[in-house]
């Protein structure tokens, strides 16, 4: 992330950090056990990988927060990617008839600005928006 931030600060690329979490996933784990929880996380990661560009860096933060470092992606394309991920996730969840709580995605993204100097501060800023 540090190198991408340096490239963005020099104007070589545009950069957005996005984080995705699954609402009510912990409740689902408590009610249905870790197997279903793991299965949904795995399938969600596959959905994210399918819809993101090959230039995006995708990683998992803290077990259930998916992070995507999006370079050279316009806001329009980012919104299209998010809609495709959300639609595919909603279709996935419909396959599980036994799920009681409403399981949805929560997506937060913040474009990089030169005001952000530290990668950890950047990540913390997106996490704060994700938890709202």
């Amino acid at each position: 992330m540090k190198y991408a931030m340096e490239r963005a600060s020099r104007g070589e690329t545009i950069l957005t950090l996005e984080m995705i979490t699954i609402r009510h996933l912990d409740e689902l784990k408590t009610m249905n056990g870790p197997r279903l929880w793991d299965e949904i996380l795995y399938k969600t990661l596959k959905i994210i990988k399918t819809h993101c560009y090959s230039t995006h860096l995708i990683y998992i933060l803290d077990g259930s927060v998916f992070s995507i470092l999006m370079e050279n992606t316009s806001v329009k394309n980012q919104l299209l990617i998010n809609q495709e991920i959300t639609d595919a996730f909603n279709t996935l969840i419909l396959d599980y008839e036994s799920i009681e709580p409403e399981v949805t995605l929560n997506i937060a993204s913040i474009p990089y600005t030169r005001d952000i100097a530290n990668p950890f501060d950047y990540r913390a800023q997106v996490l704060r928006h994700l938890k709202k």
Side-chain angles (χ1 to χ4, degrees), residues 14 53 73-84:
I14 57 173
Y53 298 160
T73 306
S74 68
V75 173
K76 178 184 174 184
N77 287 341
Q78 181 185 347
L79 292 173
L80 288 172
I81 289 168
N82 290 345
Q83 188 61 52
E84 291 169 352

Side-chain angles (χ1 to χ4, degrees), residues 107-124:
I107 301 174
S109 61
I110 296 182
Y112 174 77
T113 65
R114 289 187 175 113
D115 299 336
I116 306 168
N118 185 328
F120 295 108
D121 293 340
Y122 192 18
R123 185 172 64 192

